[in-house]
Amino acid sequence: MQHKASLDIQDKAGSTALMYSSSKGHTEIAHILVQHKASLDLQNKKGWTALMLAAYFGHLEIASLLMLNGADLEFIDKDGKDARAWAEERG
């Protein structure tokens, strides 16, 4: 980040560093990425956002961080679900 590296590079599946930290529960990394202006609403090839992944895997602190910083709650993935639906389904 010191050298102006892009925080939004996507891998072959379309996932970003923020998506990985959100799915794995790496709260500190997610905070750093958000602080350095990583895009909150990019979607991977399945249509998932970092917020959907945090909701699906039950990482509430990361989900709250993303929502407080303006993550869009209305994105729909290829299964027709939004982050709220995944959170409810996964309990």
Side-chain angles (χ1 to χ4, degrees):
M1 289 178 269
Q2 267 181 311
H3 301 286
K4 305 287 183 198
S6 174
L7 300 177
D8 297 324
I9 293 174
Q10 293 176 285
D11 65 11
K12 290 179 183 179
S15 295
T16 64
L18 184 58
M19 289 177 193
Y20 280 110
S21 62
S22 296
S23 67
K24 301 296 184 188
H26 298 301
T27 306
E28 187 174 329
I29 294 170
H31 275 281
I32 291 168
L33 291 166
V34 169
Q35 180 182 15
H36 285 88
K37 306 297 182 204
S39 295
L40 304 180
D41 295 321
L42 291 177
Q43 291 179 284
N44 66 18
K45 290 185 178 182
K46 292 182 178 181
W48 288 54
T49 64
L51 179 58
M52 288 176 185
L53 290 162
Y56 182 85
F57 288 106
H59 302 302
L60 302 180
E61 187 174 345
I62 295 174
S64 294
L65 167 73
L66 296 171
M67 289 185 289
L68 288 171
N69 281 279
D72 192 329
L73 297 170
E74 304 303 319
F75 275 101
I76 304 293
D77 66 13
K78 290 188 176 185
D79 293 320
K81 296 179 182 177
D82 61 12
R84 196 172 297 126
W86 282 117
E88 290 172 0
E89 183 175 310
R90 297 287 291 183

